[in-house]
């Protein structure tokens, strides 16, 4: 990358090492038109550090393995100081003009993120927001417990100390589809809501809700389309978030969703969901249509997903062209991922010779 050719040490730094005292005068690195400045000192009774990033090009992320090429600028300022029994500091971060050719092809020309925080009295107060994503607002405010151990020189978040956070979201799912490049899927609808977090890391409490109204989902691969989609993510003062939803295929078919998400603070994410189908049009292609009823169970965490339940194809129609005829196959139960046993598949057809 050409950015490697534009790196140089603007001003030499001086590192002074003496018994009980270490001092680093500002080391200034120039990268393109941006700068990285580092300085600090440590004595037996005090620690102080400073880090400044001034309009640093995101091209430097190429130094990290498997990082995608991104354009944009990063600015940040961090200040930290501590003495026995007292620690604090400030931090700010701003990303501007994040993008590349792939994002531009999806209609996203520039993304950004702004965040700032203040650490004082054992608490870290922060604010952050997503910027540059059209028709999408996402904001976060939080007050987190944060202490500093002078003996180990390490920060820590006490599990029993109170915390609070509030997230606000208001935007169209079309913006998320473009951001995540869901090329084989089409989503629409508006997500609005506020969620608050209280309690502590050991026993978090959620209040509020996020709601999707007038949603629509379509799979370009199978022709599946769910309209009138409504989904709720609700916290009622407990440690879990309840999930519910419903939609239709525009006709007699119905789909509903229920479940919960828990252990998302202090532990790994865990969830349990049930998807119920009632004569839902699950395949709607030019040469094939299928309706299904049944229940699909989803349970897992960030590491694994278990799928169970049973689904019955109420009706399957397949067009074989001018020389063929319409075939209606009746499918019996298909079971997958049975807990503690081998996968079993049972197939049957109402017509002899039909392929299932």
């Amino acid at each position: 990358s050409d950015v490697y050719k534009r790196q140089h040490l603007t001003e030499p730094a001086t590192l002074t090492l003496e018994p009980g005292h270490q001092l680093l005068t500002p080391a200034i690195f120039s990268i393109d038109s941006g700068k990285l400045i580092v300085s600090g000192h440590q004595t037996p009774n005090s620690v102080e550090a400073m880090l400044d990033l001034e309009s640093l090009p995101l091209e430097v992320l190429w130094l990290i393995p498997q990082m995608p090429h991104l354009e944009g600028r990063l600015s940040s300022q961090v200040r930290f100081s501590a003495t026995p029994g007292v620690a604090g500091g400030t931090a700010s971060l701003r990303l501007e003009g994040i993008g590349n050719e792939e994002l531009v092809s999806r209609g996203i020309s520039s993304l950004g993120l702004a965040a700032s925080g203040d650490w004082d009295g054992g608490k870290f107060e922060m604010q952050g927001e997503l910027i540059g994503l059209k028709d999408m607002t996402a904001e976060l405010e939080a007050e987190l417990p944060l202490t500093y151990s002078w003996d180990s020189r390490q920060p820590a978040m006490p599990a029993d100390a109170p915390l609070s956070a509030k997230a606000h979201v208001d935007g169209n799912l079309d913006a998320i589809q473009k951001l995540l490049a869901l090329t084989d899927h089409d989503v629409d609808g508006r997500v609005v809501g506020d969620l608050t977090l209280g309690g502590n890391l050991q026993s978090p409490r959620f209040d509020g809700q996020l709601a999707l109204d007038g949603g629509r989902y379509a799979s370009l691969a199978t022709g599946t389309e769910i309209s009138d989609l409504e989904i709720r993510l609700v916290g009622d003062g407990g440690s879990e978030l309840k999930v519910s939803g419903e939609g239709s295929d525009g006709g007699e078919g119905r789909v509903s969703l229920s479940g919960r998400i828990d252990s998302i603070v202090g532990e790994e994410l865990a969830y349990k969901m049930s998807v119920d189908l009632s004569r839902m049009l699950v395949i709607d292609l030019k040469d094939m249509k299928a309706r299904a009823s049944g229940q699909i169970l989803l349970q897992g965490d960030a590491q694994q997903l278990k799928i169970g339940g049973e689904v019955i194809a109420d009706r399957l129609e397949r067009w074989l062209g001018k020389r063929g005829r319409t075939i209606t196959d009746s499918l019996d139960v298909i079971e997958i991922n049975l807990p503690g046993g081998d996968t079993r598949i049972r197939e049957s057809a109402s017509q002899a010779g039909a392929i299932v």
Side-chain angles (χ1 to χ4, degrees):
S1 170
D2 289 340
V3 72
Y4 295 137
K5 302 176 183 178
R6 302 193 296 271
Q7 301 177 27
H8 61 276
L9 182 63
T10 304
E11 297 181 16
T14 300
L15 177 62
T16 303
L17 299 175
E18 297 178 352
H21 180 255
Q22 297 84 42
L23 173 65
L24 174 65
T25 61
I28 304 176
F29 297 87
S30 290
I31 303 176
D32 196 22
S33 58
K35 290 183 178 180
L36 185 153
I37 306 172
V38 182
S39 67
H41 80 261
Q42 177 175 290
T43 69
N45 295 309
S46 67
V47 174
E48 186 173 334
M50 180 196 79
L51 170 66
D52 284 342
L53 302 177
E54 298 180 0
S55 194
L56 205 66
L58 293 184
E59 289 175 291
V60 299
L61 294 179
W62 280 1
L63 297 170
I64 303 175
Q66 300 181 347
M67 281 295 296
H69 168 67
L70 288 174
E71 298 177 356
R73 295 280 170 172
L74 167 64
S75 296
S76 180
Q77 186 180 82
V78 178
R79 301 288 186 271
F80 168 74
S81 62
T83 58
V86 180
T90 60
S92 65
L93 172 72
R94 188 172 186 87
L95 287 164
E96 298 178 298
I98 304 174
N100 54 26
E101 293 182 0
E102 183 179 349
L103 288 174
V104 171
S105 68
R106 300 182 214 154
I108 302 176
S109 58
S110 178
L111 280 174
L113 175 68
S116 62
D118 184 77
W119 182 14
D120 185 33
K123 295 181 180 180
F124 182 71
E125 298 180 357
M126 63 164 293
Q127 307 84 35
E129 62 175 332
L130 180 68
I131 55 179
L133 192 58
K134 186 178 179 181
D135 202 19
M136 174 61 70
T137 300
E139 300 172 336
L140 174 68
E141 296 181 1
E143 184 177 290
L144 308 175
L146 186 62
T147 61
Y148 184 80
S149 171
W150 181 255
D151 293 333
S152 64
R153 302 293 200 273
Q154 294 290 329
M157 295 184 65
D160 58 349
L163 58 81
S164 64
K166 179 180 180 180
H168 171 74
V169 178
D170 184 354
N172 198 299
L173 289 181
D174 180 63
I176 298 177
Q177 176 182 344
K178 292 178 179 179
L179 182 62
L180 299 180
L182 303 177
T183 55
D184 293 331
H185 309 270
D186 187 22
V187 295
D188 198 9
R190 194 162 198 88
V191 177
V192 180
D194 294 276
L195 279 176
T196 61
L197 170 65
N200 53 48
L201 291 177
Q202 291 179 332
S203 180
R205 300 193 309 270
F206 294 94
D207 283 290
Q209 77 166 11
L210 292 178
L212 167 65
D213 291 313
R216 175 183 172 273
Y217 166 80
S219 169
L220 304 182
T222 64
T224 306
E225 183 170 328
I226 305 175
S227 58
D228 303 321
L229 186 59
E230 296 186 359
I231 298 178
R232 297 288 186 272
L233 187 65
V234 179
D236 57 4
S239 61
E240 64 183 29
L241 291 171
K242 298 178 180 179
V243 182
S244 62
E246 59 181 5
S248 74
D249 59 11
E252 61 177 320
R254 295 289 184 271
V255 59
S256 61
L257 169 70
S258 62
R260 69 177 190 269
I261 303 173
D262 53 22
S263 302
I264 64 175
V265 177
E267 299 180 18
E268 290 187 358
L269 170 71
Y271 55 87
K272 186 176 183 179
M273 304 287 177
S274 171
V275 181
D276 294 276
L277 306 175
S278 176
R279 292 193 55 76
M280 187 69 185
L281 187 61
V282 293
I283 300 178
D284 189 11
L285 301 175
K286 184 178 180 180
D287 60 350
M288 180 181 290
K289 292 182 182 293
R291 290 189 178 275
S293 298
Q295 185 182 65
I296 302 173
L297 302 175
L298 308 173
Q299 184 174 358
D301 52 34
Q303 304 297 324
Q304 63 178 352
L305 167 66
K306 295 180 181 179
I307 305 176
E310 62 179 25
V311 175
I312 299 174
D314 300 311
R315 183 177 180 85
L316 173 63
E317 298 177 353
R318 176 72 183 270
W319 285 265
L320 298 179
K322 293 181 179 180
R323 296 184 180 180
R325 60 191 178 87
T326 300
I327 296 177
T328 302
D329 296 327
S330 176
L331 303 184
D332 201 356
V333 178
I334 296 177
E335 297 175 324
I336 57 177
N337 280 7
L338 297 178
D342 297 330
T343 300
R344 300 197 302 269
I345 301 177
R346 300 201 305 273
E347 303 173 345
S348 66
S350 62
Q351 297 182 0
I355 299 176
V356 180

